[in-house]
Amino acid sequence: MHSPSSSEPSRPFLTWQRILDWATEHYRCRSFSKDERIPTRPGLLYLVQRGAVRLVGTAQISSSASQLMSRRANRTPEEAFLGFVGAGQPFEIVAQSPFTLQSYAHVDQTAVVWMYWHDLDNWPHFRREVLDAFRYQHQRKLLWLSALGQRRTIDRLLGFLTLLVEEYGEPSVSEEDPEVLRGYYLPFPLTHAQIGSAIGSTRVTVTRLMGKLRQKGLLINQGDNLICLPASSVNLLRS
Amino acid sequence: MHSPSSSEPSRPFLTWQRILDWATEHYRCRSFSKDERIPTRPGLLYLVQRGAVRLVGTAQISSSASQLMSRRANRTPEEAFLGFVGAGQPFEIVAQSPFTLQSYAHVDQTAVVWMYWHDLDNWPHFRREVLDAFRYQHQRKLLWLSALGQRRTIDRLLGFLTLLVEEYGEPSVSEEDPEVLRGYYLPFPLTHAQIGSAIGSTRVTVTRLMGKLRQKGLLINQGDNLICLPASSVNLLRS
């Protein structure tokens, strides 16, 4: 498995520290509170220093063109959850019709650093890592599209959750015996409405189908309403 | 709009020719007929020299775990259409559970060249272009995910078709008056089953909804069953 963060663990850390120093010195970093929008501009590169960023897409078109004006006034446009960008990972937002991409702090104290691409001329190795990270993210999105291509909503849901936990999961151990691995859980909260917006479904349907998955033992309970999958069904990417 | 192919039009062509010569010399190119599977290995980089490649994802998991064995035996696993890779564009396949990615020649005489990433050490500028192309493809997939997050299947369908035509569309002119631009059409055939597999729906539903879009004038007729959208609803990326 190609994982940009696993190659040469020592050097990236040094470079990373140097980049953070540079960003502080040039006022190119900022901290955001939970669900605060992170303003972005095309052509700029963003790095998540701490916390997690949530990418969201908004549709500008609708098949019900004639009702467009009246409906737009009455409802918020449909937002789709497009994934997380974790600490140490880069992201960029290239605005595009007919959809608009936006980024939000997913947890409190999410810190983001930004730069122009040409600023990376000073750190050619780091530029290479950033580009490799985008290669990796691209491959993950292809898998995500594979999940969303499935006809049954419950299959889309399970595929989607499995991919997220594979990428960001933390081990969940049994309360009685900390030696026993129950499974892996997603350390970020994710509402049923957000899950629905990712898989083309509704909050109500997601709640119902998650109950079904729980009954089948394909989803297990975890504190704080976090999502947890049994260890047998997850291949952690960072192992 | 960031478009890797539009920067410095002369040099890439020269590099491209040199790479093709190198590939021919090292037996690293091959031509495929329509729907033939293109064998790939993780760690290798592929470039489409001619024609178009279709990326497809296959699910290895199912929420109906208990019925898994019997159902697998009876049906082909669900394949999802994940997009095209056009001439001059790179692709790579990093196999992953719980989904498998595969590539097929989408049209006859699709020619593909392959190399190891370290082969690109000879062409650092070209490596940069390849990585930028993946950055671009990644952004397009985020838009695609935005389309698939919409609740109504007809909205997912229209968003999906609009994104494809934006990227690969060719102008379609009126038969009576070649000065009149009717719209933009997708130059590759795409079956309703393939469209359904991309948007989490079925062939039957896609056929019905495409009829609806045609009635509303959001989709127009084009010869050879090709997909055509009215000019007003498309912002061509290569203009």
Side-chain angles (χ1 to χ4, degrees):
Chain A
M1 173 55 223
H2 163 83
S3 168
S5 57
S6 66
S7 61
E8 301 176 56
S10 55
R11 188 186 41 69
F13 181 75
L14 281 175
T15 315
W16 186 238
Q17 190 53 54
R18 228 178 294 155
I19 286 168
L20 293 183
D21 292 346
W22 171 88
T24 312
E25 202 180 303
H26 292 77
Y27 306 102
R28 298 278 191 83
C29 58
R30 196 180 136 188
S31 189
F32 296 85
S33 49
K34 183 169 156 54
D35 295 326
E36 191 178 350
R37 189 165 158 247
I38 300 168
T40 54
R41 277 195 292 147
L44 283 173
L45 172 70
Y46 300 82
L47 298 169
V48 181
Q49 180 190 349
R50 195 177 54 232
V53 164
R54 178 175 75 242
L55 297 183
V56 166
T58 313
Q60 304 295 308
I61 54 160
S62 165
S63 59
S64 37
S66 57
Q67 308 161 32
L68 199 67
M69 299 309 288
S70 58
R71 292 183 65 183
R72 270 293 140 74
N74 294 328
R75 60 164 194 177
T76 22
E78 259 187 79
E79 288 201 338
F81 169 66
L82 307 181
F84 295 119
V85 188
Q89 290 289 308
F91 69 99
E92 62 179 343
I93 302 282
V94 182
Q96 277 291 329
S97 70
F99 298 98
T100 309
L101 305 179
Q102 293 189 323
S103 54
Y104 294 87
H106 192 67
V107 294
D108 253 333
Q109 295 197 300
T110 292
V112 169
V113 157
W114 62 93
M115 59 191 64
Y116 291 93
W117 277 94
H118 63 74
D119 291 330
L120 284 179
D121 291 348
N122 304 320
W123 302 290
H125 275 291
F126 190 72
R127 183 214 301 274
R128 178 79 182 274
E129 272 168 48
V130 165
L131 290 170
D132 279 343
F134 282 131
R135 248 177 84 199
Y136 169 75
Q137 290 180 16
H138 176 228
Q139 287 285 317
R140 294 299 298 174
K141 290 311 179 205
L142 289 178
L143 299 176
W144 188 324
L145 285 175
S146 306
L148 299 196
Q150 297 191 92
R151 274 193 294 273
R152 297 168 65 217
T153 309
I154 195 165
D155 291 336
R156 292 207 293 274
L157 174 63
L158 184 61
F160 167 79
L161 295 177
T162 306
L163 289 173
L164 277 185
V165 172
E166 262 190 359
E167 195 162 8
Y168 301 102
E170 307 273 353
S172 165
V173 293
S174 161
E175 277 182 24
E176 289 92 47
D177 182 356
E179 295 285 302
V180 175
L181 180 71
R182 296 168 70 231
Y184 295 95
Y185 72 98
L186 194 65
F188 319 118
L190 200 56
T191 68
H192 291 187
Q194 283 169 333
I195 296 171
S197 80
I199 65 169
S201 186
T202 63
R203 184 188 58 75
V204 177
T205 303
V206 168
T207 302
R208 183 172 57 80
L209 294 178
M210 284 181 75
K212 255 193 172 173
L213 291 177
R214 217 169 268 118
Q215 277 172 17
K216 293 187 184 199
L218 295 169
L219 197 63
I220 53 188
N221 287 319
Q222 174 80 14
D224 297 329
N225 273 316
L226 295 175
I227 289 155
C228 187
L229 299 185
S232 57
S233 58
V234 178
N235 292 309
L236 262 215
L237 292 180
R238 292 162 303 159
S239 58
Chain B
M1 175 53 227
H2 163 84
S3 168
S5 57
S6 66
S7 62
E8 301 176 57
S10 55
R11 186 186 41 69
F13 181 75
L14 280 175
T15 314
W16 185 239
Q17 191 53 53
R18 229 177 294 157
I19 286 168
L20 293 183
D21 293 346
W22 171 89
T24 311
E25 201 180 304
H26 292 78
Y27 306 102
R28 300 278 191 84
C29 59
R30 196 180 135 189
S31 189
F32 297 85
S33 50
K34 182 168 157 52
D35 296 324
E36 192 178 350
R37 186 162 160 251
I38 300 168
T40 55
R41 276 196 294 148
L44 283 173
L45 172 70
Y46 300 81
L47 298 169
V48 182
Q49 179 189 352
R50 196 177 51 233
V53 164
R54 178 175 75 241
L55 296 182
V56 166
T58 313
Q60 304 294 310
I61 56 161
S62 166
S63 59
S64 37
S66 58
Q67 308 162 32
L68 199 67
M69 299 309 289
S70 58
R71 291 183 66 183
R72 271 292 138 74
N74 293 328
R75 61 166 192 177
T76 22
E78 258 185 81
E79 289 202 339
F81 169 66
L82 307 181
F84 295 119
V85 187
Q89 289 290 309
F91 70 99
E92 62 179 343
I93 303 282
V94 181
Q96 277 291 328
S97 70
F99 297 97
T100 309
L101 305 180
Q102 293 191 321
S103 54
Y104 294 87
H106 192 68
V107 295
D108 252 333
Q109 295 197 301
T110 292
V112 170
V113 158
W114 61 93
M115 59 191 64
Y116 290 94
W117 277 94
H118 63 74
D119 291 329
L120 284 179
D121 291 347
N122 304 321
W123 302 290
H125 275 290
F126 190 73
R127 184 215 300 274
R128 180 79 183 274
E129 272 168 47
V130 165
L131 289 171
D132 279 343
F134 282 131
R135 247 176 87 199
Y136 168 76
Q137 289 181 16
H138 175 228
Q139 287 283 317
R140 295 299 299 174
K141 290 311 178 204
L142 289 179
L143 299 177
W144 188 325
L145 285 175
S146 305
L148 299 196
Q150 297 191 93
R151 274 193 293 274
R152 297 168 65 216
T153 309
I154 196 167
D155 290 338
R156 292 207 293 274
L157 174 63
L158 184 60
F160 167 80
L161 295 177
T162 306
L163 289 173
L164 277 185
V165 171
E166 263 190 359
E167 196 163 7
Y168 300 102
E170 307 273 353
S172 165
V173 293
S174 160
E175 277 183 24
E176 288 92 45
D177 182 357
E179 295 284 302
V180 175
L181 180 71
R182 297 168 68 232
Y184 296 96
Y185 72 98
L186 194 65
F188 319 118
L190 200 56
T191 68
H192 291 187
Q194 284 168 334
I195 297 170
S197 80
I199 64 169
S201 185
T202 62
R203 185 188 59 74
V204 176
T205 304
V206 167
T207 302
R208 183 173 56 81
L209 294 178
M210 284 182 74
K212 255 193 171 174
L213 291 177
R214 217 168 268 120
Q215 275 171 18
K216 293 187 185 201
L218 295 169
L219 198 63
I220 53 187
N221 287 320
Q222 174 81 15
D224 297 329
N225 273 318
L226 294 175
I227 288 153
C228 187
L229 299 184
S232 56
S233 58
V234 178
N235 292 309
L236 262 216
L237 293 179
R238 293 163 302 159
S239 59

